[in-house]
Amino acid sequence: MPLAKEPIVESYAVFGHPIEHSLSPQIHQSFAEQTGIHHPYCKIKVPHEDFESIVSDFFTQGGLGANITTPFKERAYRLCDQHTEHAKCTGVVNTLKLLDKNQLLGDNTDGIGLLTDLKRLNLLMPGDRILLIGAGGAAQGVIPSLLKEACELVITNRTLSRAQKLGRLFQHLDKIEVSEIGALEGSSFDLIINATTSGLFGEVPDLPACLFFNNSRCYDMFYSAQASETIFIDWIKQKRVIHYADGLGMLVAQAAYSFYLWHGVMPEITPVLSCFTV
């Protein structure tokens, strides 16, 4: 008879690959302290081939909720028995909740997390023309939310076919275009959002320099776990961009909405965010 698996200590976790840089455990600990809710949370690095089995084991052993990050958000969607409207609109999931009868509910809090932070920072204006760089789960999870703000959206990606796939997925929504990176020469945008994982590998997107000017607004959905800025932010500052932010505020905001899904209590974002900023 095989040995029974030990019950888990943490009831909540974030799953990804890589995951070492994640600040999610510290953020959720802050939410727990703020609300007085018992909320043990950890981060788990998952081999690409074992995602489904490891997540299933987590819930079988007593897990109650999980966050999903790069590169598993599309696969997490397929794991779920039910989906919220946010998840259905995007086709990707970053939050899982265990329901009765061992069913999994999938949600996506990335879109509302991004909008919350962009508005906090006054980086998003109605009618903005936005360039979204990237075509992975991170980009896919925020497209409907951006378009609901009456914005025009152009998607670009190093591999054009992936951007075209997203364009087809959301073709029923208005004001969305797909462009090759090289074809962006001579274009202008009010807001440029980096949704790629290039920063994890010490790289920046290969964009035409003419896209950036003093009054450009730029947002990096990636964040730095260190005090230093992200590689993308360093790069755009060299191009004299002065209105910019990384994705730390988005991370805290999407985490807060995940916490709300699990516990029915919405934690305050600003006090937690202030703990990670100087």
Side-chain angles (χ1 to χ4, degrees):
M1 177 181 297
L3 294 176
K5 295 180 179 179
E6 290 292 327
I8 63 169
V9 176
E10 293 85 0
S11 302
Y12 302 87
V14 57
F15 295 83
H17 189 119
I19 201 66
E20 293 83 359
H21 66 285
S22 177
L23 294 176
S24 292
Q26 294 97 305
I27 292 169
H28 282 275
Q29 181 180 355
S30 296
F31 290 158
E33 293 170 355
Q34 179 191 128
T35 61
I37 293 174
H38 184 61
H39 183 68
Y41 188 108
C42 67
K43 53 189 174 185
I44 300 174
K45 185 175 182 179
V46 185
H48 291 269
E49 65 275 13
D50 296 330
F51 171 73
E52 287 79 6
S53 62
I54 289 177
V55 171
S56 295
D57 285 347
F58 172 78
F59 284 103
T60 299
Q61 296 170 52
L64 299 176
N67 287 129
I68 308 298
T69 188
T70 303
F72 300 117
K73 294 180 183 182
E74 292 178 80
R75 289 164 67 176
Y77 187 93
R78 296 192 290 270
L79 271 180
C80 299
D81 303 290
Q82 300 180 39
H83 300 90
T84 66
E85 287 304 313
H86 284 120
K88 289 177 183 177
C89 286
T90 62
V92 288
V93 157
N94 79 327
T95 305
L96 299 171
K97 178 181 179 179
L98 185 67
L99 303 176
D100 294 337
K101 300 180 181 178
N102 293 317
Q103 291 200 325
L104 285 181
L105 172 68
D107 193 12
N108 192 302
T109 65
D110 281 336
I112 193 169
L114 175 62
L115 287 187
T116 297
D117 202 41
L118 289 174
K119 291 178 180 180
R120 176 184 71 88
L121 297 165
N122 294 316
L123 289 177
L124 180 67
M125 310 297 172
D128 271 351
R129 182 168 168 81
I130 300 173
L131 176 64
L132 182 65
I133 313 158
Q140 186 172 332
V142 301
I143 288 173
S145 295
L146 290 171
L147 290 175
K148 284 179 181 177
E149 295 298 306
C151 296
E152 297 180 18
L153 187 64
V154 176
I155 307 169
T156 193
N157 190 59
R158 180 173 58 185
T159 305
L160 179 62
S161 60
R162 296 195 65 185
Q164 291 171 329
K165 179 182 176 182
L166 278 192
R168 290 191 296 270
L169 182 64
F170 296 109
Q171 63 184 352
H172 60 287
L173 301 176
D174 293 334
K175 299 182 178 179
I176 184 168
E177 304 172 27
V178 175
S179 175
E180 291 183 322
I181 289 179
L184 294 172
E185 193 86 32
S187 300
S188 63
F189 299 93
D190 303 296
L191 174 63
I192 297 174
I193 300 175
N194 177 33
T196 73
T197 58
S198 58
L200 290 171
F201 310 103
E203 302 172 353
V204 294
D206 184 21
L207 298 172
C210 63
L211 295 180
F212 301 95
F213 44 93
N214 280 0
N215 61 344
S216 296
R217 288 173 261 132
C218 294
Y219 191 90
D220 190 359
M221 285 172 57
F222 184 65
Y223 63 94
S224 175
Q226 312 299 324
S228 60
E229 291 170 327
T230 68
I231 292 172
F232 180 79
I233 295 296
D234 280 339
W235 181 62
I236 63 171
K237 285 173 66 176
Q238 294 171 23
K239 303 182 182 305
R240 302 178 184 266
V241 173
I242 59 175
H243 305 292
Y244 57 83
D246 70 11
L248 182 60
M250 175 184 172
L251 176 72
V252 176
Q254 64 82 25
Y257 283 99
S258 294
F259 189 94
Y260 178 75
L261 179 72
W262 295 327
H263 300 293
V265 175
M266 184 68 182
E268 294 184 43
I269 293 170
T270 302
V272 177
L273 186 57
S274 65
C275 296
F276 297 96
T277 55
V278 179

